[in-house]
Amino acid sequence: MSRIETTFAVLKQHRETALIPFITAGDPDLGVTAELIQTLAEAGADLIELGVPFSDPMADGPTIQFASERALAAGTTLGGILQLVTDVRKKTQIPLILMGYYNPVFCYGPERFARDAAAAGVDALLLVDLPPEEIDEISVAMRASGIDLITLLAPTTPSERMKRLAATAEGYLYYVSMTGVTGAQKISPKDIQPAVEKLKGLADVPVAVGFGITTAEDARAVGAFADGVVVGSALVKIIEENGQSEELLPKVAKFIIELKHGLTAPTS
Amino acid sequence: MNYQYPDERGHFGKYGGRYVAETLMPALLELEQAYMEASQDPAFQEEFKYYLKHYVGRPSPLYFAERLTKELGGAKIYLKREDLNHTGAHKVNNTVGQILLARRMGKKKVIAETGAGQHGVATATVAALFGMECEVFMGKEDIRRQSLNVFRMKLLGAKVHEVTSGTATLKDAMNDALRHWVTHVRDTFYVIGTVAGPHPYPLLVRDFQTVIGIEAKQQLQEAEGRLPDVAIACIGGGSNAMGLFYPFIEDLSVKLLGVEAAGFGVETGKHAASISAGSPGVLHGNKTYLLQDDDGQIQHAHSISAGLDYPGVGPEHAHLQDIERAEYVSITDTEALEAFQKLTHIEGIIPALESAHAIAQVMKLAPTLSSDKIILVNLSGRGDKDIHTVADALDVKL
Ligand SMILES: Cc1ncc(COP(=O)(O)O)c(C=O)c1O
């Protein structure tokens, strides 16, 4: 079993929902990212999405745009992120998902990336701008290296397409809770529940929900019906505000503990 | 040569495609379907032709630039006068087409990105014509350089969003337009201004712009009884060039020459010559040549001309470069400024700075060709919008 499968299997036994924090790798620098990964894992995160910064993050709102800019200004590269993963893998077995845009992976070379990422201990890749229509150009290489390709589904995805994509999903399915960019609006858990439940019926893999989950209350509400909740912008905001300060890790830990608290005893 | 691109998945050889977020994918599939139906529908084609004729003022003249030809002492130079279109550039051919498509699809709101402001003005204009709501995304830097066009858009009833993210120019305006579209995809039609973006945009923008080449081919046939030897156009995203080139693509005797912006000079790194000095990558929904670093981060483009100041190029041009059907060269800010003044002095035509890049290439090429050769050049727009930029560059206070 892969690390992702094992993680979800254990959570299921405990009737817990996965907490999946997102942070941008290299924000404010890769050294702090390493500490953040450790802190997130210890505070209760179950999987971690590591954003690969890109100069033109078209699916992101201002919070993650600025995080990307800070990471790039600090000299973050995809090669540097793979080295970071190699280093943190010595200390933690938490599943790590690289998330971002296709161009940095394309320029690194998909085959070379697949080899290096697997060797470093990356579990999965989620490329926001590489839809199923174009995924063939990297899927063979990723499969050969055992890197899962995470599929995104959106409220605009028609049901035939949803069925087709859910059937072939790897790792977990990422349901984008709203039509918009990251961090834009607040989520309405009741509105997305039917879509998530339908998806759970279609897919063999767990269904995580992301975009717009900012508080422990949101997380608990969504966690009542989803297998995982992704929290991005709200966490990135804490990193933005506390940067290199000593307060950063304690504040992040506190937020993660709050979020996880609502997910350990599902209300349903 | 049987040229059949793009393929059914929107690929031009290795380039093009649909690299967008899942949220937009269904909208692109719907757009493709709607466009395929519209392009087969004679009523849609008639309507498009009607507005091109009566609203845009087509056909645009093909003008023999006799004095410029004499001065340069070589090939005969013909100018395709897109500057005489309503709103002053070729951009309106495409916006008329897309707004008719939007209307056919039942959309009531349109958005657009703009660099020089020409596409923004052309979109705001047709939105006014059809009573649609219009929002235009424009970089802060471009708003400063093109204040006249900003005011025109506002007069036309459009809302202009100042884009401050990234480099605050055209690429960032396109990012923000895409972000807005993701959020409002259900009721909003995105009018892309050039032959870039995800499939089917490069295809449909090319189709709407081919009227340029179709007319020019026929007009030159009437004037000279033959094809041109060279067809020249400037390249921002590449829509005026595709519009001119496409009808000649299987006429292999016609050399197709695209002119990119070399800014301060390609060797300085401050330029917008994506094909001449870039490498393949993925941005704004398509795979194409980009200005980027080794890590796939997009770099700043530079050109005196806001409409060419873009670090990418339409995917079909990337393909034409690879199969060697077209050739791409570049012209510096200084050369473009000289050409701008030359055409103004000698023909009484003030070209857009974008188009001045094409004219500058003509000034290099014409003297090397004999007088029985013919150069067809796309004068893609007029230069009124650039008067302030040119005055600045020439150290003239207005
Ligand atoms: C007059 C004119 N020519 C050319 C361009 C460049 O665009 P394209 O390469 O798509 O024709 C612009 C863009 O704003 C323009 O305004």
Side-chain angles (χ1 to χ4, degrees):
Chain A
M1 273 215 285
S2 71
R3 271 188 288 258
I4 293 179
E5 285 170 321
T6 311
T7 301
F8 276 104
V10 171
L11 287 167
K12 193 169 186 178
Q13 268 176 8
H14 298 171
R15 300 191 60 228
E16 282 181 35
T17 300
L19 174 60
I20 313 175
F22 167 96
I23 58 173
T24 299
D27 172 28
D29 61 46
L30 285 173
V32 176
T33 302
E35 295 177 47
L36 280 167
I37 291 172
Q38 201 60 32
T39 303
L40 293 171
E42 283 164 12
D46 299 296
L47 304 87
I48 296 175
E49 291 182 354
L50 273 182
V52 176
F54 181 48
S55 53
D56 295 78
M58 291 158 322
D60 287 298
T63 303
I64 293 176
Q65 286 174 41
F66 296 149
S68 246
E69 286 175 16
R70 289 191 297 273
L72 291 176
T76 308
T77 62
L78 185 52
I81 294 169
L82 294 178
Q83 184 57 51
L84 164 91
V85 173
T86 306
D87 295 342
V88 301
R89 260 293 163 253
K90 292 170 189 151
K91 296 179 209 144
T92 174
Q93 288 306 307
I94 192 165
L96 294 170
I97 298 96
L98 295 194
M99 175 165 182
Y101 296 82
Y102 182 36
N103 201 43
V105 173
F106 175 76
C107 289
Y108 193 93
E111 284 82 26
R112 181 176 155 228
F113 172 84
R115 270 197 318 274
D116 293 358
V122 169
D123 297 285
L125 180 64
L126 198 177
L127 294 172
V128 180
D129 59 348
L130 195 66
E133 277 72 9
E134 307 289 349
I135 201 96
D136 285 355
E137 64 186 83
I138 68 163
S139 55
V140 173
M142 297 305 151
R143 208 157 287 142
S145 293
I147 306 262
D148 287 335
L149 282 167
I150 306 296
T151 302
L152 286 169
L153 293 168
T156 51
T157 308
S159 64
E160 261 314 300
R161 182 177 172 87
M162 203 168 245
K163 225 180 252 169
R164 192 153 46 82
L165 298 183
T168 55
E170 302 170 2
Y172 57 93
L173 267 174
Y174 190 131
Y175 182 70
V176 174
S177 67
M178 61 195 175
T179 58
V181 292
T182 55
Q185 307 137 263
K186 268 196 78 66
I187 194 170
S188 161
K190 264 214 234 63
D191 293 348
I192 61 168
Q193 182 165 359
V196 173
E197 270 165 5
K198 182 169 153 209
L199 256 185
K200 281 171 73 174
L202 295 171
D204 293 332
V205 295
V207 178
V209 174
F211 282 42
I213 299 172
T214 59
T215 64
E217 202 185 339
D218 299 337
R220 182 201 299 270
V222 175
F225 52 83
D227 300 313
V229 297
V230 182
V231 178
S233 295
L235 179 58
V236 171
K237 198 93 199 157
I238 297 178
I239 299 171
E240 174 181 322
E241 284 162 5
N242 297 278
Q244 304 267 11
S245 116
E246 280 172 18
E247 295 284 284
L248 176 63
L249 298 180
K251 280 193 176 157
V252 165
K254 181 166 173 276
F255 184 50
I256 294 297
I257 290 165
E258 270 169 35
L259 289 170
K260 184 66 190 175
H261 183 71
L263 299 176
T264 40
T267 46
S268 67
Chain B
M1 182 189 193
N2 180 16
Y3 185 91
Q4 293 278 358
Y5 294 97
D7 65 18
E8 72 285 354
R9 289 166 56 233
H11 290 254
F12 300 88
K14 289 186 286 197
Y15 306 99
R18 281 174 289 216
Y19 298 86
V20 296
E22 173 63 19
T23 310
L24 293 180
M25 207 56 222
L28 289 176
L29 295 170
E30 182 196 341
L31 175 62
E32 183 185 5
Q33 181 68 28
Y35 179 62
M36 291 308 159
E37 282 165 21
S39 62
Q40 304 295 324
D41 179 354
F44 180 82
Q45 295 304 329
E46 278 311 305
E47 198 179 24
F48 181 47
K49 280 194 190 133
Y50 174 89
Y51 285 101
L52 286 184
K53 177 166 183 213
H54 298 283
Y55 189 70
V56 175
R58 302 205 70 93
S60 68
L62 182 73
Y63 171 69
F64 172 45
E66 195 171 353
R67 291 197 68 208
L68 186 64
T69 299
K70 272 219 184 82
E71 166 98 2
L72 297 174
K76 275 181 132 175
I77 301 158
Y78 279 87
L79 306 178
K80 180 60 176 162
R81 299 291 306 276
E82 293 299 298
D83 60 315
L84 294 176
N85 291 342
H86 179 43
T87 73
H90 69 292
K91 295 286 179 187
V92 71
N93 302 325
N94 170 46
T95 60
V96 167
Q98 288 198 46
I99 204 101
L100 292 175
L101 191 56
R103 207 173 53 152
R104 188 183 165 101
M105 292 173 72
K107 308 276 178 178
K108 301 243 156 38
K109 295 182 189 173
V110 296
I111 57 167
E113 83 295 335
T114 196
Q118 288 304 107
H119 174 59
V121 167
T123 306
T125 298
V126 295
L129 174 65
F130 290 106
M132 291 201 205
E133 234 178 88
C134 177
E135 298 186 36
V136 178
F137 294 81
M138 188 168 185
K140 188 176 176 178
E141 176 61 21
D142 292 332
I143 286 183
R144 186 187 62 74
R145 306 195 256 195
Q146 303 286 347
S147 54
L148 191 65
N149 272 345
V150 175
F151 188 54
R152 286 168 82 191
M153 285 185 271
K154 288 181 180 162
L155 285 173
L156 289 161
K159 182 169 170 196
V160 180
H161 291 274
E162 181 178 274
V163 174
T164 55
S165 62
T167 55
T169 58
L170 181 54
K171 93 173 163 73
D172 310 286
M174 193 145 178
N175 287 339
D176 271 16
L178 283 164
R179 288 177 185 124
H180 182 95
W181 197 31
V182 163
T183 313
H184 301 92
V185 59
R186 289 193 172 99
D187 66 351
T188 301
F189 187 101
Y190 182 12
V191 182
I192 292 186
T194 190
V195 284
H199 178 65
Y201 283 101
L203 165 68
L204 65 86
V205 177
R206 177 190 78 191
D207 287 356
F208 292 142
Q209 290 292 4
T210 50
V211 64
I212 300 171
I214 291 169
E215 283 177 9
K217 193 171 188 174
Q218 192 188 342
Q219 289 165 321
L220 197 63
Q221 191 63 37
E222 282 160 19
E224 296 280 349
R226 71 179 186 88
L227 293 168
D229 297 286
V230 189
I232 299 184
C234 67
I235 309 269
S239 68
N240 87 87
M242 261 343 289
L244 183 71
F245 293 174
Y246 190 67
F248 294 104
I249 223 152
E250 295 187 348
D251 300 315
L252 296 180
S253 67
V254 181
K255 178 173 173 160
L256 307 175
L257 193 54
V259 184
E260 300 190 293
F264 292 148
V266 167
E267 68 290 347
T268 65
K270 285 191 173 296
H271 59 80
S274 318
I275 296 184
S276 314
S279 56
V282 175
L283 178 71
H284 293 152
N286 64 111
K287 189 183 285 173
T288 187
Y289 279 88
L290 301 173
L291 299 180
Q292 57 186 340
D293 66 16
D294 293 343
D295 218 41
Q297 307 298 343
I298 309 307
Q299 289 177 319
H300 299 204
H302 170 85
S303 170
I304 189 168
S305 142
L308 305 185
D309 204 351
Y310 179 69
V313 62
E316 190 161 15
H317 288 292
H319 179 60
L320 292 176
Q321 152 84 13
D322 276 18
I323 64 170
E324 297 180 2
R325 177 60 191 98
E327 193 184 315
Y328 297 85
V329 294
S330 61
I331 284 292
T332 64
D333 288 355
T334 311
E335 292 169 326
L337 272 168
E338 275 167 22
F340 178 97
Q341 295 172 82
K342 175 68 101 189
L343 193 71
T344 304
H345 278 161
I346 206 166
E347 294 285 359
I349 296 172
I350 303 180
L353 274 173
E354 292 80 11
S355 323
H357 285 71
I359 300 296
Q361 184 58 31
V362 170
M363 286 166 55
K364 281 189 182 174
L365 183 65
T368 70
L369 299 176
S370 56
S371 59
D372 60 345
K373 299 285 187 202
I374 297 172
I375 297 176
L376 168 64
V377 56
N378 199 0
L379 194 71
S380 57
R382 64 174 185 234
D384 308 46
K385 70 186 175 56
D386 295 314
I387 296 301
H388 286 278
T389 308
V390 172
D392 267 1
L394 301 177
D395 269 333
V396 176
K397 265 224 140 23
L398 294 183

